[in-house]
Amino acid sequence: MAGIPRIWFRTLSIWRPLVLVVLAVVLAGCPAAEVMVPDGGTGGGGTGTDAPVTAKIVNFASDTQIDLTLPFVSVLYTIENMPEGAMLSTFFVPVIGVPPNVLEDGDRITIDEATTLTASQGAFEFVPATAGSGNFLAGITIVTADGMTTVDALSDGRIMVEGVPDPQFVLPIADAGEDFFSVDRGDDVLITFDAGDPENSVQWRAFYLELTDCVRTTEIPDVALDEIGTQIGSPGSGNVGAVTLATADLVGGCYQLGLSATDSGSSIATTVDRGNDELIITNIAGPIVLVVDVVGVSPPSVTFTAPGSADETIVVGANFSIQFEATVSQPGATGTITLFYDDDRIGTNGFTTIVSGLVHTDSPFVVSLPTNVPEGTINIGAAIDDGINPVQFDYAVGTITITS
């Protein structure tokens, strides 16, 4: 029978004396079970009398929500007239439906078994992490020593284990090949996310962390969880969320997005106030928003020290060391450099590459001029690309003349 405690019993062998089995179940919310067993002077009911064995789950009389992160909850039970040598088992079982139409939906999972009972009441631990998210009934089973009589008692209410949120960002998407999404200062950034709560009963708070040198952080700041970073928009509820990051008042730089979510039934701030920090899941591994200050943008540059301001003359096949430094001012950007020479100081119309793939962080550079450069006067130049600004072509002031 669904939704009420169920009692099973086995019929005694026909070779044994007939035993009257009385099954009594209270239908109106009582998780008690009662079965008459032969006392024989051992059941506590007096010599020569039949003592009723009763069992009951005391708590969880109604549906109770618990969080998957809790270490355990205690299930309390009482037993009267436990027969000598009987086996007591504690268990939980997944169920479907809602009271009073609850059906077992899988195997009963044994928590513990014992052959002796030292008291008429006890408790066992239901571990949410073992059960997983879902709805369950907790119960006890008593089997007599001869294995012929079974008494079950199940909780009237369901233990409803709620899965924890798993907040994840959807937008913005990082630029191709980068760990950041770039935006001009003054433009708004749409931020969308999924709070990832299995029951879709979640509240959240979005925020950003301002980064130094655009280096991603992996540590949650040591502040109250409702005060992490700078809040974006207003806190909200529901798995699907969206907020807008206005960049007009931000300075150029990198901002790492974060999200806190809780299924505590309260906001992040209230959950913190109540001391329930363990019910808050925080993800600070969100996208990095690179705000580009268009007004004060500084393109990358290359500065040559050899050749310097004076022209140089060398003979064919002689060695010459080209020396230069690279600067990238855009936060979070990496400059790649191609060193070359040409005859007209116009890099966009072609040049002869000396070396490519240099990274600006290795500056300063010393590169040998190839010894097979033909006679004539050449200009030494470099193309530097930071992936954000237009490619810059910089030239040494002085030229190099190769003579025979």
Side-chain angles (χ1 to χ4, degrees):
M1 182 179 299
I4 60 173
R6 279 167 282 189
I7 311 301
W8 287 268
F9 58 89
R10 297 188 180 92
T11 305
L12 300 179
S13 169
I14 60 175
W15 303 109
R16 298 176 181 270
L18 179 62
V19 177
L20 175 63
V21 179
V22 179
L23 172 62
V25 178
V26 180
L27 297 180
C30 178
E34 179 180 289
V35 173
M36 302 292 290
V37 297
D39 177 51
T42 61
T47 303
T49 64
D50 289 337
V53 180
T54 61
K56 178 181 180 180
I57 300 297
V58 177
N59 54 347
F60 297 105
S62 59
D63 287 349
T64 304
Q65 294 179 338
I66 64 173
D67 197 274
L68 187 65
T69 59
L70 289 178
F72 68 90
V73 292
S74 294
V75 182
L76 310 179
Y77 63 86
T78 59
I79 300 174
E80 294 184 6
N81 301 313
M82 179 77 163
E84 183 178 348
M87 175 72 74
L88 170 65
S89 297
T90 60
F91 64 88
F92 66 86
V93 60
V95 295
I96 57 174
V98 295
N101 300 311
V102 176
L103 295 174
E104 295 188 19
D105 187 37
D107 296 332
R108 294 184 173 188
I109 309 300
T110 300
I111 297 175
D112 198 8
E113 290 182 327
T115 55
T116 60
L117 183 68
T118 59
S120 61
Q121 59 187 13
F124 60 93
E125 293 180 355
F126 174 85
V127 180
T130 300
S133 59
N135 299 325
F136 305 89
L137 294 181
I140 60 174
T141 296
I142 302 170
V143 180
T144 57
D146 58 11
M148 301 304 293
T149 304
T150 300
V151 180
D152 275 7
L154 287 88
S155 59
D156 234 11
R158 297 172 298 171
I159 301 177
M160 306 171 71
V161 181
E162 294 190 342
V164 297
D166 181 23
Q168 299 293 330
F169 285 91
V170 178
L171 293 176
I173 299 174
D175 298 344
E178 303 291 351
D179 189 35
F180 56 80
F181 168 81
S182 58
V183 59
D184 292 340
R185 188 169 70 86
D187 292 344
D188 291 341
V189 179
L190 176 63
I191 301 169
T192 64
F193 46 83
D194 187 334
D197 184 62
E199 293 77 30
N200 193 24
S201 178
V202 62
Q203 298 191 48
W204 44 259
R205 172 183 180 268
F207 59 87
Y208 66 76
L209 302 171
E210 191 168 355
L211 301 180
T212 301
D213 297 327
C214 217
V215 177
R216 178 180 286 277
T217 182
T218 58
E219 299 293 331
I220 296 178
D222 187 19
V223 298
L225 293 181
D226 60 332
E227 297 177 357
I228 297 177
T230 301
Q231 183 172 296
I232 305 173
S234 299
S237 62
N239 270 343
V240 178
V243 294
T244 299
L245 174 63
T247 66
D249 294 331
L250 300 179
V251 298
C254 289
Y255 301 84
Q256 183 171 316
L257 303 182
L259 184 67
S260 293
T262 181
D263 59 1
S264 65
S266 302
S267 67
I268 299 295
T270 300
T271 303
V272 170
D273 288 343
R274 293 174 176 172
N276 294 326
D277 287 21
E278 73 280 0
L279 301 181
I280 300 174
I281 306 298
T282 297
N283 175 10
I284 63 168
I288 293 175
V289 176
L290 171 61
V291 177
V292 180
D293 192 346
V294 179
V295 176
V297 68
S298 298
S301 62
V302 172
T303 303
F304 288 90
T305 55
S309 58
D311 296 335
E312 303 283 349
T313 300
I314 62 174
V315 298
V316 173
N319 293 319
F320 184 86
S321 294
I322 303 169
Q323 301 177 38
F324 60 98
E325 297 180 355
T327 301
V328 174
S329 301
Q330 197 67 54
T334 299
T336 56
I337 304 160
T338 298
L339 183 67
F340 62 85
Y341 66 86
D342 66 12
D343 58 4
D344 60 5
R345 302 180 69 85
I346 304 175
T348 56
N349 66 356
F351 49 74
T352 301
T353 300
I354 298 174
V355 63
S356 62
L358 301 177
V359 180
H360 86 276
T361 52
D362 294 332
S363 181
F365 299 93
V366 178
V367 178
S368 296
L369 178 71
T371 57
N372 60 350
V373 177
E375 293 184 45
T377 298
I378 60 174
N379 300 282
I380 301 298
I384 181 168
D385 182 9
D386 66 1
I388 298 174
N389 297 281
V391 177
Q392 301 296 305
F393 292 90
D394 292 321
Y395 283 86
V397 175
T399 62
I400 299 178
T401 299
I402 298 96
T403 63
S404 58

